[in-house]
Amino acid sequence: IRVRRGIGGPNDKAPKFSLRCIKDNKIKTRWNSKSLGVAGDTTMDLEFGPCGFGKTWQFEFMVSDDCPVDIVRMQAQVSPAEQS
């Protein structure tokens, strides 16, 4: 996910951006949280890693503090499961 970062104040605790997946409209993954950074942080990419197997996906986002969040881009690497 590419987001605007560095929105926390220099003396504030950095807000957290959390993501979870809902696979096949049934199974929810755990919330995975990443820091949005304090003032001056410029790295925009947050990597959340694998979410498991599924045919359909739904993503939920949550932010720990009342702050603006701009999601610039989101991408997923999708590959077919190997069949034995």
Side-chain angles (χ1 to χ4, degrees):
I1 296 178
R2 181 167 280 228
V3 296
R4 182 171 60 109
R5 297 188 64 210
I7 57 177
N11 298 320
D12 298 336
K13 198 168 87 172
K16 300 270 186 192
F17 182 90
S18 301
L19 168 79
R20 78 174 172 185
C21 305
I22 302 173
K23 301 182 284 187
D24 299 327
N25 207 22
K26 296 177 192 168
I27 303 164
K28 294 181 181 179
T29 63
R30 292 184 210 172
W31 286 103
N32 190 348
S33 299
K34 303 287 182 179
S35 172
L36 282 174
V38 295
D41 286 347
T42 57
T43 304
M44 293 179 71
D45 294 326
L46 300 176
E47 254 191 66
F48 287 94
C51 293
F53 294 95
K55 291 184 179 185
T56 60
W57 296 91
Q58 191 175 347
F59 297 96
E60 293 182 340
F61 306 96
M62 178 173 57
V63 181
S64 65
D65 297 325
D66 184 18
C67 62
V69 174
D70 294 332
I71 298 175
V72 178
R73 182 183 67 184
M74 180 177 172
Q75 94 183 36
Q77 180 180 349
V78 180
S79 56
E82 293 183 24
Q83 296 182 2
S84 43

